[in-house]
Amino acid sequence: MEVAKELLAGNRLALSRAITAIENEYEEATDIMKELYPHTGHAYVLGITGPPGAGKSTLTEKIAKAYREQGKTVGIIAVDPTSPFTGGAILGDRIRMNSLTLDEGVFIRSMGTRGSLGGLSHKTADAVKALDAFGKDIIIVETVGVGQSEVDIVKAADTTIVVLIPGMGDDIQAIKAGILEIGDLFTVNKSDLDGADKLVREINMMLDLDSLMTDWRPPISKVIASQGEGIDLLLADVGKHRQYIEGNGELARRRTKRAKDELLDILGAGIERRIKTHISDRLNGYVEQMKKHETDPYTLVNGILAEMLK
Amino acid sequence: MEKKIRVLVAKPGLDGHDRGAKVIARALRDAGFEVIYTGLRQTPEQIAEAALQEDVNVVAMSILSGAHPHLFPKVVNLLHEKGMKDVLIIGGGVIPEADIPALKEAGIAAVFTPGTNTSDVVDFIKNNVKM
């Protein structure tokens, strides 16, 4: 596969083309992934999530810059929502990252969710692998602006940062389920605004109530991303978390789980495709039988599965 | 997954008028395209590099300052240097009729001036994009 070879040789256009093939599910995408897979697993993946307008893109830019100053190369996947009505999307995260565009050690790719509801796109994980195989040291995955339940990022990232801003609700919001459960780190952005200290207290209170208490208590930092304030401390916390999960085997466990989920996902999608192709001629007939109430979908499914999984 | 047309909408140069670019970005989104919007004051180098990283099919630029004879062709050249030879490059903004032939000669596939219907831009892209 030419694209994969050129990507591995450091060709940026090939990297870009590979991500397109992955995203559009071109036939060659499978071959590209096969060739890239042995070269993955070296990058550290940082997830950044939080509500719309929390400053995720701005923070991503500042974090990327800080890693560049340490001499590390950075890949960024920035996800924005696809319209469920037209399929179109405005991918606007790059606006906050213009200062990184001409740094050859950084590669930024915007992705639309394309129907995925977990805060990422279905192909984000494979795009991360492409950046990993390309040789990026740190890969930052920025989710769409999330509400309370888009938690796919934990499956993709080694360390997840939840970005919050003051003024978004009372302390009950902080004990609800969802994104507040997934932070390995919390950061309060726009911390020069009123209510920042109150928010820190509320997150602390939520963490105090955590009945599953592990040795790792997510640190809470305060930043002003637009000014670059607090980024050093945030990065130090990321470093501590990395050390912690590398040391106690948690990183290995997370990656094992990720590999297992990935295998089952691909297997499931493959089986679904095979079955759909297999019954495509008969599908309308089945639907007709159901409409006339001659049979029910459960009987049909049992029949099809028995026939295919002999 | 069907192929999606990806468009970079950018404003090269120093004028701060992005209303037109935003109207176009929104119209292209509503046409089902993925629009990567990079905002104001982009250098030709930034535009070409962003187009490469995003692997876009179309680069759409808007200028209202009069710098188009210099900046548009520069972006075309940089894109070609980077191996992005199939990209459809279009321009818009306050651009005198007299300048348009030279811009087309330089590789700008179409130039859309004030009063253009957004559906004309959408149709042009659909009819001319190479996927």
Side-chain angles (χ1 to χ4, degrees):
Chain A
M1 187 68 241
E2 279 304 299
V3 172
K5 285 210 170 57
E6 283 175 36
L7 182 160
L8 292 171
N11 181 324
R12 299 154 67 75
L13 183 56
L15 169 60
S16 194
R17 294 272 149 91
I19 297 176
T20 303
I22 290 164
E23 213 184 2
N24 288 349
E25 297 181 329
Y26 291 163
E27 255 171 55
E28 68 259 34
T30 312
D31 288 332
I32 294 174
M33 290 314 298
K34 278 187 208 163
E35 202 146 330
L36 297 186
Y37 201 88
H39 302 273
T40 60
H42 305 292
Y44 197 78
V45 184
L46 201 56
I48 299 193
T49 191
K56 295 180 294 298
S57 304
T58 309
L59 188 65
T60 298
E61 183 200 36
K62 294 300 188 305
I63 291 176
K65 271 204 159 144
Y67 277 122
R68 290 294 295 138
E69 278 161 23
Q70 296 176 11
K72 297 200 163 78
T73 57
V74 180
I76 297 171
I77 303 278
V79 188
D80 261 335
T82 297
S83 162
F85 304 107
T86 66
I90 302 267
L91 311 178
D93 293 322
R94 285 192 86 97
I95 299 181
R96 322 286 170 207
M97 306 180 195
N98 277 324
S99 74
L100 301 172
T101 306
L102 294 180
D103 179 346
E104 288 210 357
V106 180
F107 192 99
I108 308 168
R109 183 62 173 246
S110 313
M111 295 179 96
T113 51
R114 299 196 183 181
S116 175
L117 296 176
L120 300 176
S121 91
H122 292 301
K123 294 295 164 185
T124 302
D126 281 350
V128 166
K129 287 204 197 78
L131 289 168
D132 187 351
F134 188 75
K136 295 299 183 196
D137 301 316
I138 304 283
I139 296 166
I140 306 176
V141 179
E142 183 198 330
T143 70
V144 299
V146 298
Q148 294 176 318
S149 60
E150 297 94 332
V151 297
D152 279 359
I153 187 66
V154 283
K155 294 185 217 153
D158 298 321
T159 295
T160 299
I161 304 175
V162 173
V163 188
L164 297 168
I165 45 173
M168 297 200 66
D170 66 11
D171 53 349
I172 292 300
Q173 298 301 335
I175 58 173
K176 287 189 183 168
I179 66 160
L180 291 178
E181 290 176 281
I182 64 171
D184 297 309
L185 280 71
F186 289 92
T187 191
V188 174
N189 187 26
K190 309 187 191 183
S191 62
D192 50 339
L193 295 180
D194 274 352
D197 289 325
K198 183 163 165 278
L199 178 56
V200 172
R201 274 201 302 281
E202 286 166 359
I203 301 167
N204 261 319
M205 185 204 74
M206 172 198 78
L207 295 173
D208 289 343
L209 296 177
D210 188 351
S211 52
L212 305 169
M213 197 71 88
T214 60
D215 307 339
W216 178 260
R217 183 186 170 98
I220 308 165
S221 55
K222 290 200 288 182
V223 299
I224 308 172
S226 59
Q227 329 251 338
E229 264 179 52
I231 304 299
D232 291 356
L233 289 174
L234 176 61
L235 242 58
D237 284 343
V238 172
K240 279 183 208 149
H241 183 252
R242 180 173 181 171
Q243 223 172 8
Y244 172 76
I245 61 174
E246 279 174 350
N248 71 356
E250 174 64 19
L251 180 63
R253 273 193 294 280
R254 284 183 188 196
R255 290 189 172 181
T256 304
K257 178 164 189 328
R258 200 179 301 159
K260 190 171 162 188
D261 289 347
E262 186 187 7
L263 179 62
L264 291 174
D265 277 354
I266 296 171
L267 183 65
I271 291 174
E272 186 182 330
R273 227 178 2 254
R274 288 272 283 276
I275 293 181
K276 278 184 177 163
T277 316
H278 185 73
I279 64 162
S280 64
D281 299 341
R282 289 180 272 161
L283 187 59
N284 287 336
Y286 288 148
V287 173
E288 280 308 312
Q289 288 175 31
M290 279 167 57
K291 269 164 65 185
K292 292 181 194 147
H293 296 272
E294 291 169 0
T295 183
D296 63 275
Y298 308 99
T299 308
L300 287 172
V301 167
N302 281 338
I304 295 164
L305 290 181
E307 176 189 326
M308 286 204 70
L309 299 176
K310 276 198 290 261
Chain B
M1 188 85 52
E2 89 279 31
K3 295 179 182 183
K4 243 184 231 284
I5 298 175
R6 285 167 68 87
V7 187
L8 184 80
V9 173
K11 274 198 58 71
L14 296 175
D15 78 85
H17 307 282
D18 57 0
R19 176 88 190 151
K22 282 177 176 157
V23 168
I24 290 294
R26 175 62 199 266
L28 299 183
R29 185 202 86 176
D30 290 342
F33 302 169
E34 280 185 353
V35 180
I36 294 100
Y37 187 70
T38 58
L40 291 168
R41 300 183 193 94
Q42 301 290 295
T43 64
E45 288 79 7
Q46 281 176 315
I47 293 171
E49 182 58 31
L52 176 140
Q53 292 178 11
E54 299 290 351
D55 196 17
V56 291
N57 312 102
V58 184
V59 172
M61 294 178 283
S62 160
I63 295 191
L64 285 82
S65 66
H68 52 271
H70 174 63
L71 294 174
F72 281 177
K74 201 160 175 202
V75 173
V76 176
N77 292 338
L78 287 166
L79 283 169
H80 288 178
E81 276 170 30
K82 287 176 184 290
M84 304 272 295
K85 297 206 167 76
D86 286 343
V87 183
L88 181 69
I89 308 165
I90 59 179
V94 184
I95 291 165
E97 283 294 324
D99 292 352
I100 293 176
L103 293 175
K104 288 197 168 166
E105 185 71 21
I108 304 293
V111 176
F112 298 97
T113 51
T116 301
N117 204 318
T118 54
S119 63
D120 293 344
V121 181
V122 171
D123 289 341
F124 183 85
I125 291 175
K126 281 185 177 162
N127 293 331
N128 293 280
V129 71
K130 290 191 192 107
M131 297 285 286

